[in-house]
Amino acid sequence: MIEVVSASRCVTCDVCIAVCPTDVFDAGTDGIPVIARQGDCQTCFMCEAHCPADALFVAPLTHPAPPGSPFRDEEHVTRTGLLGSYRRELGWGRGRKPGARNAVGPELGRARITPAAAESS
Amino acid sequence: MTTTALDLTADVVIVGGGPAGTWAALTAATAGADVLLLDKGYCGTSGPTASGGTGVWYVQPEPAAREKAMASREALGGYLQDRRWMARVLDQTYENMDRLGAEARYPFPVVDGRAFKGGLQGPEYMRRMRSWIRRAGVRILDHSPVTELLVDAAGTVAGVHGHRRQHHTGYRVRAGAVVLATGGCAFLSKALGCDVATGDGALYAAEAGAAMSGMEFSNAYGIAPTFTSVTKTAYYGFATFFQQDGTPLAGAGSQGGRSVIAAELLRAGTVLCQIDQATPEQQAQMRSGQPNFFLTFDRLGINPFTDKFPVTLLLEGTVRGTGGIQLVDDDCATSVPGLYAAGDAATRELICGGFTGGGSHNSAWAMSSGTWAGGGAARFATALGASALRRRLTGAGGVALRPTGGASYGGDPGAEAKDVLRRQVHPYDKNYLRHGDRLRPALDELDEVWARLRAGATAEPAATPRLRQAAAMVAHARWMYTAALARTESRGMARRQDFPGLDPAQRRRLTVGGLDEIWVRPESAARPELAVAS
Ligand SMILES: Cc1cc2nc3c(=O)[nH]c(=O)nc-3n(C[C@H](O)[C@H](O)[C@H](O)COP(=O)(O)OP(=O)(O)OC[C@H]3O[C@@H](n4cnc5c(N)ncnc54)[C@H](O)[C@@H]3O)c2cc1C
Ligand code: SF4
Ligand code: SF4
């Protein structure tokens, strides 16, 4: 779920309020959006992908991160390079090449069925 | 009930702005229609394609390749597909993918000197679809869930009501024709991008008199790391599954072995997984192919190739199942005049039979059926001419809008409906590992909830879309289980523990419909006129 809105990075463009499919954000009085309905977040990472300032962090969990979780800590997600990492992969943002250009996965063969313990060793 | 603050007109209204809705809008606008597209969320990010991305059923127009593509999943689908529709979809998808490259400048990867068109990255695809339809003159209203269809005195669909949630106001649109492209129904499971897919369109279509098809094949579950949303299953084809103690879980697999995973989750609560069958080269290809697959792992600090991690199965219902609104014509017309359906909202049985699951057919269907529905709706609206705007309109919506019972609903109807769905529809031992003895009591409880909703549930305008969503999900579950009980065999995704074999006599589609009373019958017996009359 969405956990971090970085007040220092946010350029108050309201893009996240517009693009969130489940209407999680409200405009804040200081222009910085607030996470108003976190419970409605479907963890789709779309706000993060569209935020032009890498100001949003979506934790990879379908429930709110517990208090004290590093996922709620802006300093942690910045230092570890997680903040803005999805945009980097998508190749979105100035001077980047669209990631879609490289999006060729491996040939998918027949799906594998897990063998029994005895056979697998 | 919705207060009508904003009064609009359009030749064609498109409900839903995923791939099906945007292709429909593009086609209708190109045909000269004045098009208004309404999305519950945001056209460009809403729906599973935007966040998930899609493999595409893109096949070169060479007879041998086409034959192979059509034959490959016929057995899996229980031989309920229609070859003519499959061929049409292959042709249309081929054309649309080429247009996407040429006209929307989609940056296809280049492999061996040739554009690779077997897949689309979701955020890029849907962002481009949005700007493309805007260039074509389509008006878009985001955050504007449609809450019901409007019909004229003859029962022809002639517009919609809805609510603009960020403007706190209702709206009405008079239209010549309506395309329902609202996606499937994943029952608010939090599967990737699926929480907007609550089956609203199917409820609205049923209220106007349309029927459903393929509803028994609506029990798709996607694999995701536990407590996460990313239900992308393809790469689990390279995985090994384990019990909690690390013993291999014999028979488990992403395809053909998912029921073993479900059974183990029911029994022990934990299944572990490791994507240990991919070569280093394949691992690198996976990363560039689907970066969002790795979002979860990177953020959780899991290396899926070397670590064992717990997985779960999230309900994707009709999003990756087959069921939806029945179509009666090549232009994706429904049995109700003026009403068209496309994408996951429409039945996919025509090209998938009783089985989807594996990616590619769904996206091909969304873009093809969207294209046809948009064209059909534009032609219908044009034929009406100016008389379209003089019709007297009434709301077709029932449940949560026009209670029948007199007595008001005690408690919170939306929350109660969600609770019933959580207990009776999400669990693997009811919807997935099916048995008549468990389906029947589940259906009874769903029927009971429906009756109470129908009699007494109402909401403030701002809360109406949510209550309508809850009602749509309950309606879906009832159609699903009614059809599942009627199919007394195992075919495609509709597997019954009490009827494990395939019954050749049941090689036919089932039509299901109704709201207060649900009916089901073999397709051949269900003429469109009958569906309207019931
Ligand atoms: C994780 C994941 C991966 C997938 N991968 C593949 C794949 O590789 N290949 C493949 O072929 N398929 C795949 N699928 C399936 C594919 O995503 C869907 O089939 C496809 O998105 C359907 O498109 P659609 O336009 O019909 O519906 P959607 O994309 O669901 O769009 C529906 C739209 O309608 C809007 N809406 C809903 N209700 C209302 C309302 N009441 N009023 C207004 N608007 C409304 C929603 O906001 C949404 O924008 C995948 C699905 C998932 C979940
Ligand atoms: S999209 Fe990013 S920069 Fe724009 S308002 Fe939201 S958080 Fe701030
Ligand atoms: S992750 Fe998706 S649902 Fe959650 S806030 Fe961002 S855009 Fe909204």
Coordinates of all heavy atoms in Angstrom, one line a residue, chain A residues 4-6 9-17 19 25 31-33 47 50-56, ligand 2:
Chain A
V4 N 4.4 6.4 1.6 CA 5.2 7.6 1.8 C 4.8 8.7 0.8 O 4.8 8.4 -0.4 CB 6.7 7.3 1.7 CG1 7.6 8.6 1.7 CG2 7.2 6.4 2.8
V5 N 4.6 9.9 1.2 CA 4.5 11.1 0.3 C 5.6 12.0 0.8 O 5.6 12.5 1.9 CB 3.2 11.8 0.4 CG1 3.1 13.0 -0.6 CG2 2.0 10.9 0.1
S6 N 6.6 12.2 0.0 CA 7.8 13.0 0.4 C 7.5 14.5 0.3 O 7.4 15.0 -0.9 CB 9.0 12.6 -0.4 OG 10.0 13.6 -0.2
R9 N 10.2 16.4 -1.7 CA 10.3 16.2 -3.2 C 9.1 16.6 -3.9 O 9.2 17.0 -5.1 CB 10.5 14.7 -3.5 CG 11.9 14.2 -3.1 CD 11.9 12.7 -3.3 NE 13.3 12.2 -3.1 CZ 14.0 11.6 -3.9 NH1 13.6 11.3 -5.2 NH2 15.2 11.1 -3.6
C10 N 7.9 16.6 -3.3 CA 6.6 16.8 -4.0 C 6.6 18.2 -4.6 O 7.0 19.2 -4.0 CB 5.5 16.6 -3.0 SG 3.9 17.0 -3.8
V11 N 6.2 18.2 -5.9 CA 6.1 19.5 -6.6 C 4.6 20.0 -6.7 O 4.3 20.9 -7.5 CB 6.7 19.5 -8.0 CG1 8.2 19.2 -7.9 CG2 6.1 18.4 -8.9
T12 N 3.7 19.4 -5.9 CA 2.3 19.7 -5.8 C 1.6 19.8 -7.1 O 0.9 20.8 -7.4 CB 2.1 21.1 -5.0 OG1 2.7 22.1 -5.8 CG2 2.8 21.0 -3.6
C13 N 1.8 18.8 -8.0 CA 1.2 18.8 -9.3 C -0.2 18.2 -9.3 O -0.9 18.2 -10.3 CB 2.1 18.1 -10.3 SG 2.3 16.4 -9.9
D14 N -0.5 17.5 -8.2 CA -1.8 16.8 -8.1 C -2.0 15.6 -9.1 O -3.1 15.1 -9.2 CB -3.0 17.7 -8.3 CG -3.1 18.7 -7.1 OD1 -2.4 18.5 -6.1 OD2 -4.0 19.6 -7.2
V15 N -0.9 15.2 -9.7 CA -1.0 14.0 -10.7 C -1.5 12.8 -9.9 O -2.3 12.0 -10.4 CB 0.3 13.8 -11.4 CG1 0.4 12.4 -12.0 CG2 0.5 14.8 -12.5
C16 N -0.9 12.6 -8.7 CA -1.3 11.3 -8.0 C -2.8 11.3 -7.7 O -3.4 10.3 -7.7 CB -0.5 11.2 -6.8 SG -0.4 12.6 -5.7
I17 N -3.3 12.5 -7.3 CA -4.8 12.6 -7.0 C -5.6 12.2 -8.2 O -6.6 11.5 -8.2 CB -5.1 14.0 -6.5 CG1 -4.4 14.4 -5.3 CG2 -6.7 14.1 -6.3 CD1 -4.6 15.8 -4.8
V19 N -4.5 10.3 -10.9 CA -4.3 9.0 -11.6 C -4.7 7.8 -10.7 O -4.8 6.7 -11.2 CB -2.9 8.8 -12.1 CG1 -2.5 9.9 -13.1 CG2 -1.9 8.7 -11.0
F25 N -6.0 9.5 -2.5 CA -5.4 10.8 -2.1 C -6.5 11.9 -2.0 O -7.4 12.0 -2.8 CB -4.3 11.3 -3.0 CG -3.2 10.3 -3.2 CD1 -3.2 9.4 -4.3 CD2 -2.1 10.3 -2.3 CE1 -2.1 8.5 -4.4 CE2 -1.1 9.4 -2.4 CZ -1.1 8.5 -3.5
G31 N -0.9 21.9 -0.2 CA -0.6 21.5 -1.5 C 0.0 20.1 -1.7 O -0.1 19.5 -2.7
I32 N 0.5 19.6 -0.6 CA 1.0 18.2 -0.6 C -0.1 17.2 -0.4 O -0.8 17.4 0.6 CB 2.1 18.0 0.5 CG1 3.0 19.2 0.5 CG2 2.8 16.7 0.4 CD1 4.4 19.1 0.1
P33 N -0.3 16.3 -1.3 CA -1.4 15.4 -1.2 C -1.3 14.5 0.1 O -0.2 14.2 0.6 CB -1.3 14.5 -2.4 CG -0.2 14.9 -3.2 CD 0.5 16.0 -2.5
C47 N 0.5 5.3 -9.0 CA 0.8 6.7 -8.6 C 2.3 6.9 -8.6 O 2.8 7.9 -9.1 CB 0.2 7.0 -7.2 SG 0.7 5.7 -6.0
H50 N 3.6 7.4 -12.1 CA 3.2 8.7 -12.7 C 3.8 9.9 -12.0 O 3.7 11.0 -12.5 CB 1.7 8.8 -12.9 CG 1.2 8.0 -14.1 ND1 1.0 8.5 -15.3 CD2 0.9 6.6 -14.2 CE1 0.6 7.5 -16.2 NE2 0.5 6.4 -15.5
C51 N 4.2 9.8 -10.8 CA 4.7 11.0 -10.0 C 6.0 11.5 -10.7 O 7.0 10.8 -10.7 CB 4.9 10.6 -8.6 SG 5.8 11.9 -7.7
P52 N 6.0 12.7 -11.1 CA 7.1 13.2 -11.9 C 8.3 13.5 -10.9 O 9.4 13.8 -11.4 CB 6.6 14.6 -12.5 CG 5.5 15.0 -11.6 CD 4.9 13.7 -11.0
A53 N 8.1 13.5 -9.6 CA 9.2 14.0 -8.7 C 9.7 12.8 -7.9 O 10.5 13.1 -6.9 CB 8.6 15.1 -7.8
D54 N 9.3 11.6 -8.1 CA 9.7 10.4 -7.3 C 9.5 10.7 -5.8 O 10.3 10.5 -5.0 CB 11.2 10.1 -7.5 CG 11.5 9.5 -8.9 OD1 10.6 9.0 -9.5 OD2 12.7 9.5 -9.3
A55 N 8.3 11.2 -5.6 CA 7.9 11.6 -4.2 C 7.1 10.6 -3.5 O 6.7 10.7 -2.3 CB 7.2 13.0 -4.2
L56 N 6.7 9.5 -4.2 CA 5.8 8.5 -3.6 C 6.5 7.2 -3.5 O 7.2 6.7 -4.3 CB 4.5 8.3 -4.5 CG 3.7 9.6 -4.7 CD1 2.6 9.3 -5.7 CD2 3.1 10.0 -3.4
Ligands
SF4_2 S1 2.3 13.2 -8.2 FE1 4.1 13.4 -6.9 S2 4.8 15.5 -7.2 FE2 2.7 15.4 -7.9 S3 1.4 16.0 -6.2 FE3 1.6 13.7 -6.2 S4 3.4 13.3 -4.8 FE4 3.5 15.5 -5.4

